[in-house]
Amino acid sequence: MCSSVSDPQVRVIPHSPFSVLNGGFERGCAALVQALQAQSYPVSFLNWADADDAYDLLHLFSESGNWYDIVHHTLGHRRYVVSAIAGVGKPTLTQQLKLAAMRAMLGVLRGGKTKLDRAAYVARNAAAMICLNTLERDFYIRKFSLNPARVHIVANGVPEHRYSATPQLFETAYGCKDYVLYVGNIVERKNPLLLAQILVKRGLSGVFIGSTLPFQAAYGAAFRAFVQAHSTQILWIENLHYTDPLLDSAYAGAAVYCLPSSLETQPLGAMEAMATGTRLILGDAAYAYQPPFEQAIRCIPGDAGSLEQALDTALKANPIYIGDTYRWSAIATQIAAVYRQAMHDEPL
């Protein structure tokens, strides 16, 4: 695809600085910009220090109320699109009561707004919102009473090099083959410690690639202690860069990719494992029934018996492959179409 006169100049603002947080959402943001630039699309990250930058459209990565001030000053001058961050579920009763109390208190202040009010303002004034799947799309339409015509489904992408990965590099480096692979942060909701415990119990080899996080230091310490006690079966690689060819090869060499997580939207690791034709286990939650995970084997997150059964089933299952429509090049083309529509729709 080549840039045309109809293509708006786009500036992207990630959810957080990549040096502060660099999870799947941030990696997806960077990969999208790179894929669009590879197609000669006029897009780049916003330069906060350039007052004279002449762009047409902002792309905000998240519907967070943190963008409220930017949007407030942007409206009437430039349009913007938003990539949603799921996981902002329906408030609990306690949260709703706190929210009502906050609104009552802020009501005495002219224009006082809660975080939810600000997020709603950002979402409702967007020329387009981009969601990863139908589940997320329906959630945001309900949450913010959005016009469905302006809420688009565009999936995460898979890097081109994942599709051609082979296991030899990782096997040579670490001597591992036919292992169960986990890629992700070492956090409780993803259940890596339980997975490691089950693998040791069943005499299976496991490879874990991911870092601990400060806000779950105790869980990370427990995982570290277990791995150190069972290092003959469990290999943990903490700091393997996302672009390292060893990661490609780790996916390709895995017998099963297992992410027994209770909360995800569209996990990049699972998609990337599917690019190499790896069997797949996900947590039995709503995200695991959305495309492209329809054929995944599912387990009840946190349930040891369910995870054991899923492992037994997966080891006998056929590999699962993800289609070419999920390559970043194809995803970039879809995003470019959203940009054009956002510019040419009737004004808000």
Side-chain angles (χ1 to χ4, degrees):
M1 182 196 77
C2 295
S3 176
S4 71
V5 293
S6 62
D7 291 333
Q9 288 279 342
V10 179
R11 298 294 177 266
V12 177
I13 308 179
H15 175 242
S16 65
F18 295 154
S19 61
V20 173
L21 183 65
N22 196 19
F25 202 75
E26 289 74 29
R27 291 197 302 271
C29 176
L32 172 61
V33 171
Q34 184 178 23
L36 285 164
Q37 289 175 340
Q39 298 179 1
S40 300
Y41 195 91
V43 61
S44 62
F45 289 107
L46 181 73
N47 182 348
W48 292 77
D50 186 355
D52 299 317
D53 189 11
Y55 58 88
D56 307 300
L57 187 70
L58 279 174
H59 187 165
L60 308 176
F61 261 72
S62 85
E63 66 10 319
S64 167
N66 293 337
W67 304 130
Y68 174 83
D69 289 333
I70 291 177
V71 168
H72 184 69
H73 292 289
T74 296
L75 288 181
H77 302 284
R78 293 185 177 97
R79 296 188 178 192
Y80 66 93
V81 301
V82 177
S83 283
I85 291 183
V88 187
K90 182 179 179 181
T92 64
L93 178 58
T94 299
Q95 289 171 331
Q96 291 180 54
L97 291 173
K98 288 182 178 178
L99 183 59
M102 288 173 62
R103 281 182 169 151
M105 179 179 66
L106 290 171
V108 301
L109 302 173
R110 186 186 178 104
K113 293 183 181 295
T114 65
K115 184 175 181 180
L116 183 61
D117 292 330
R118 289 171 174 256
Y121 180 87
V122 170
R124 289 169 185 162
N125 285 289
M129 175 168 273
I130 302 168
C131 295
L132 294 174
N133 52 38
T134 301
L135 182 73
E136 191 177 57
R137 178 180 184 271
D138 293 346
F139 171 76
Y140 281 108
I141 289 172
R142 291 194 308 271
K143 178 182 179 182
F144 295 130
S145 301
L146 303 180
N147 178 353
R150 293 190 172 178
V151 186
H152 306 265
I153 297 175
V154 182
N156 275 321
V158 176
E160 301 288 329
H161 50 85
R162 297 285 195 249
Y163 284 86
S164 57
T166 59
Q168 285 77 20
L169 185 64
F170 192 81
E171 184 177 341
T172 299
Y174 292 101
C176 297
K177 58 191 305 184
D178 299 326
Y179 47 85
V180 175
L181 176 65
Y182 169 97
V183 178
N185 289 324
I186 306 302
V187 292
E188 190 168 5
R189 69 176 171 86
K190 295 178 183 284
N191 291 299
L193 177 56
L194 176 63
L195 174 58
Q197 292 168 340
I198 296 300
L199 293 177
V200 169
K201 175 184 175 182
R202 300 301 298 270
L204 299 171
S205 298
V207 173
F208 292 75
I209 300 175
S211 303
T212 59
L213 296 179
F215 68 87
Q216 287 204 354
Y219 187 86
F223 181 81
R224 185 181 303 279
F226 185 84
V227 170
Q228 289 174 344
H230 300 89
S231 58
T232 58
Q233 274 183 255
I234 305 297
L235 170 65
W236 180 22
I237 306 172
E238 292 189 63
N239 297 305
L240 190 62
H241 195 274
Y242 181 69
T243 61
D244 194 317
L246 278 169
L247 182 56
D248 292 350
S249 188
Y251 281 123
V256 176
Y257 178 86
C258 186
L259 180 70
S261 178
S262 61
L263 179 63
E264 302 288 336
T265 302
Q266 195 177 68
L268 285 171
M271 297 174 68
E272 293 171 357
M274 292 167 66
T276 67
T278 301
R279 303 171 183 91
L280 180 64
I281 297 174
L282 296 175
D284 191 356
Y287 75 90
Y289 292 85
Q290 292 289 303
F293 306 128
E294 296 93 333
Q295 298 181 59
I297 295 161
R298 303 174 187 91
C299 67
I300 300 172
D303 187 301
S306 178
L307 180 53
E308 282 195 69
Q309 184 176 1
L311 284 166
D312 287 341
T313 302
L315 288 168
K316 302 172 185 175
N318 293 323
I320 303 175
Y321 292 90
I322 198 168
D324 288 342
T325 56
Y326 289 94
R327 293 176 185 264
W328 269 118
S329 55
I331 299 304
T333 300
Q334 295 178 50
I335 293 289
V338 174
Y339 290 161
R340 295 189 193 101
Q341 182 176 336
M343 289 301 297
H344 296 143
D345 276 350
E346 291 298 317
L348 296 172

